[in-house]
Amino acid sequence: MKKINILYIALLSLFAISCDSYLDETPDNRAEVDSQIKIRKLLVSAYSEGSPTLVTELSSDNIIDMGSSNPNTTRFYEQLANWESVTETDNDDPKSAWEASYGAIANSNEALAAIEKLGSENLLPEKGEALITRAYAHFVLVNVFCKHYNSQSSATDLGIPYMEKSETTLNPKYERGTVKEVYEKINADIEAALPLISDDMYEVPAYHFTKKAAYAFAARFNLYYEQWQKAKDYASIVLTTNPSTQLRSWDDLGALPRSPGPVTNAYINNSANLLVQTDGSNLGLYFGAYYTGSRFNHSRKIADEETLFAPAPWGGVASSTYHLRPFVYSGNNLDKTLFMKIPYLFEYTDPVAGIGYRRTVVVPFTTDETLLVRAEAEVMLGENDLAMTDLNTWSKNFFVDKETTLEAVNTFYSNLPYSTADVPTQKKVLNPKFTLAAGVQENLIHYVLQCRRILTLHEGLRWFDIKRYGIEINRQQIQSDGTTAIVLDVLKVNDLRRAIQLPQDVIDAGLVSNPR
């Protein structure tokens, strides 16, 4: 019974079960969701406050192990960086993301049930928000805890339970289904939601799936779903006919005082952000000007060889190349090269005692990233000139007026060696399970992946590109001389560890674990 209760809480965070013996009394004393205003209030909780960002970022090739002499780590961080099953408890652990996502789903389903009871014809915008939030939470879960979608094996790859209604039984049994089935249900929810969403219902649109946010999600989902045309079409709705007017003003960010506070606050308060979410997380510390997490972090070595300062088709890259110059920290056991975009916020519960909760704000969707989604879809559709137009629109805005040509991109990546353990570069061997032609198409994809890797640094999205394109990772560790790096482990193309292991409580309660 204890295990059943653990599954019930960890999997769903759902409401208590009513029973005839209690007559009409609600066992958990919650208010009845019996009006439009109550449904809207409930939907505020249909957005997860537990992001997997730190889990996926530390799993990616954006970090390096600075060595055992660096004490600024925890067992939890080490487990993530080394692709181990997490046994430690932390605000940013997989269990938190799992519970928060299923809790959000429960609220979406409760809202949908109330809408059906009241008559959905008068609550279509609310229904649209409930459907899109349900789809997004499942999208996060399936991409973190499962193998990535592909047309070859997803019909048999383990998925996650797709919850389409509130639980009403005492001893529910859940099946994981397949990745293909989960993707099909996400797609159905998205398609049903898109025509219904109305921005008019939101008092604070930035924290909700507005039309643009919903279409940005639909674009990314279809990119992952290998539906290139739909990804392009949905991204185009977000970007309008003049994408350059929709992008973030990196020039304005670069003009701010060189201090984390003003820059991160300006980053999260910007019209280019299509959706923002609060998060009870240490991300602002981990990817901020602090010693926290400095053993496993984005160091100057990675920045020079693979990311921020690696050469580009249009030439060399330095701090002056960027409107918002990277923040470089170096010192005794502090080696971080960062984009300041994730604020460190503190919510005081007792100001006198100085105690409270560490929090941050994450930005799941931006116009800049949506433009790169469209560029990638165009490459896969063979529309190279259109892809180059989008890539140049992005690069001229992100960098100090940098653009290139199709010929230059093709020449640059053709001449750039593939990354090895001894000589790392930003050009990784690609092993997707969809068709990618050698030559121009592959080289354009290398450029798109590099642009996205830089743009979304510290945001966890690189992990999903690694999974989608079958990129191997060499986990390097800096040795005592401070310069020599050795490879401790390799995440192979078909490594089972690419699917983050389910929380142990959920496994103990009976849900099938990811194979290892």
Side-chain angles (χ1 to χ4, degrees), residues 435-470:
T435 301
L436 182 66
V440 174
Q441 188 177 54
E442 180 189 337
N443 288 333
L444 274 173
I445 289 296
H446 281 303
Y447 187 42
V448 172
L449 293 178
Q450 182 66 1
C451 292
R452 185 184 292 116
R453 187 178 184 185
I454 292 171
L455 173 69
T456 64
L457 195 63
H458 319 317
E459 296 177 27
L461 285 182
R462 172 66 177 175
W463 177 241
F464 305 116
D465 283 350
I466 287 167
K467 292 176 70 170
R468 290 195 304 129
Y469 280 93

Side-chain angles (χ1 to χ4, degrees), residues 30 70-71 115 132 161 168 171 191 198 340 343 354 398 416 430 440 500:
R30 70 184 183 274
N70 188 321
I115 290 167
I132 203 73
T168 57
N171 186 14
E191 295 300 320
S198 172
M340 282 300 166
F398 186 74
L416 185 68
L430 305 180
V440 174
I500 302 297

